[in-house]
Amino acid sequence: MRYILFVLVLVGCAGDVPTDTNPSTPPPASTPPPTSTPPPTQSGTTPDCSTYCSQIATTCTGANAQYASTAACMATCNKFTVGALTDTSGTTLGCRMYHVNNATKTAMPDVHCNHGGPGGGKIAPIAAGATPDTHCSDACTNFCQLSVSICGTGTDTSKQFTDLNSCLTTCAGWDRTAAYAVAPPVAGNNLACRLYHLTAAAADPATHCSHTGPAATTHCLLGGT
């Protein structure tokens, strides 16, 4: 009888033996979490005229408009030094895009649109001895750089100045009390009128360059557009 009980105890203990015959085997490795996909590279890292002209046309309207047409904007923009989107000053497209973006974000086009336009800042009014608005350089520097690029110098048939320095000297004497505008009539013997016609000359120099110089025919002397 004792023998039978001993056998039964052994059988019962055998049932308690773990089924894992190799306890040193490590558990299966857990599946690593999926690697997150990096965000796509931001597009538009270089200033471009299509983006600039689209945004400035949408944001800067009415009295704050900087170009009379997309064609005038694109043609003028193609004469800008490109620069970088981080520019906050200088005569670059990047600086202008920065300020147009400010006009969009702040909903203050009356403050920022002139900074993003062809003049790089507000032309007028400038009282005697006052500091000009130079967010993207001063208006005469921007005007003259565009003038020699659009209308030429030396023997170019559309030229209005012999070189950049002669333009800067002449521009310094022009009236700057008239605000820049693109809605007709654009008139007056002033910088604002000439800058408007220079943006038109970018697309059609044969017609408009003569409206931008010291003897600017009737457009910026006696009459208007």
Side-chain angles (χ1 to χ4, degrees), residues 9 12 39 47 58 81 87 102 114 144 186 197:
V9 170
T58 301
T81 300
D87 291 347
N102 276 351
N114 277 291
C144 290
V186 179
H197 282 284

Side-chain angles (χ1 to χ4, degrees), residues 65-167:
Q66 299 297 303
Y67 302 94
S69 66
T70 299
C73 180
M74 290 293 291
T76 303
C77 179
N78 283 324
K79 300 299 183 180
F80 294 148
T81 300
V82 176
L85 288 175
T86 53
D87 291 347
T88 59
S89 62
T91 62
T92 66
L93 173 58
C95 179
R96 290 172 168 90
M97 290 187 71
Y98 168 81
H99 287 286
V100 173
N101 191 44
N102 276 351
T104 304
K105 290 190 299 184
T106 63
M108 298 173 65
D110 55 321
V111 174
H112 297 286
C113 282
N114 277 291
H115 308 157
K122 192 174 183 179
I123 291 179
I126 294 180
T131 301
D133 185 343
T134 58
H135 282 77
C136 292
S137 195
D138 67 280
C140 275
T141 297
N142 282 299
F143 173 88
C144 290
Q145 286 185 352
L146 287 172
S147 177
V148 299
S149 180
I150 293 168
C151 301
T153 58
T155 59
D156 293 318
T157 57
S158 296
K159 79 174 190 306
Q160 301 302 304
F161 304 94
T162 55
D163 54 33
L164 178 65
N165 287 334
S166 67
C167 177

